[in-house]
Amino acid sequence: QVQLVESGGGLVQAGGSLRLSCAASGRTFSTYTVGWFRQAPGKEREFVAAIRRSGSSTDYADSVKGRFTISGDDAKNTVYLQMNSLKPEDTAVYYCAVTGTRVYGDYVYLSSSYAYWGQGTQVTVSS
């Protein structure tokens, strides 16, 4: 079992930055893929970024590529999402999630691949 707690959300002006944290208790992150998803009002949850086992590789949605960076600290069992050059369309509740098993290929982009989810943290970007 894995428990996840996100933090770091808030209100920021367009062009600003935020860093989200996802702290895990239970099993360690190093054996799983950790993803960030977001859900805006009236929209479906969408993939944002993922980091595979022990940071071996990362994946990003096209909409955030070049602006967001996902990283992990195995010693702290924490994964971060550094968000720069924020835009109003980045406004959403951001969730971190962990797969329960090893995930291959494009399955990393699917929310159904993730077994454990945090409660979410609100990010609001004003124009």
Side-chain angles (χ1 to χ4, degrees):
Q1 195 75 7
V2 178
Q3 293 78 41
L4 305 172
V5 178
E6 302 101 330
S7 61
L11 174 64
V12 64
Q13 288 188 332
S17 298
L18 284 173
R19 189 177 78 157
L20 305 184
S21 299
C22 176
S25 59
R27 296 184 183 178
T28 63
F29 274 152
S30 62
T31 59
Y32 300 105
T33 293
V34 181
W36 284 97
F37 289 76
R38 66 186 182 187
Q39 187 166 19
K43 295 188 177 181
E44 293 192 356
R45 190 171 297 187
E46 65 174 1
F47 171 82
V48 175
I51 185 166
R52 299 181 195 248
R53 295 177 60 182
S54 295
S56 59
S57 66
T58 57
D59 301 89
Y60 297 93
D62 288 343
S63 59
V64 307
K65 211 169 283 185
R67 300 188 298 122
F68 290 12
T69 303
I70 188 170
S71 62
D73 185 334
D74 287 348
K76 295 182 178 180
N77 220 20
T78 300
V79 168
Y80 305 98
L81 184 68
Q82 178 66 44
M83 306 186 295
N84 298 329
S85 302
L86 283 161
K87 304 175 181 179
E89 50 264 44
D90 294 318
T91 295
V93 178
Y94 284 70
Y95 300 89
C96 73
V98 175
T99 62
T101 59
R102 196 165 184 176
V103 174
Y104 298 91
D106 289 351
Y107 285 99
V108 71
Y109 304 121
L110 303 178
S111 60
S112 58
S113 297
Y114 295 80
Y116 306 101
W117 291 81
Q119 82 289 349
T121 186
Q122 176 70 46
V123 172
T124 303
V125 184
S126 63
S127 56

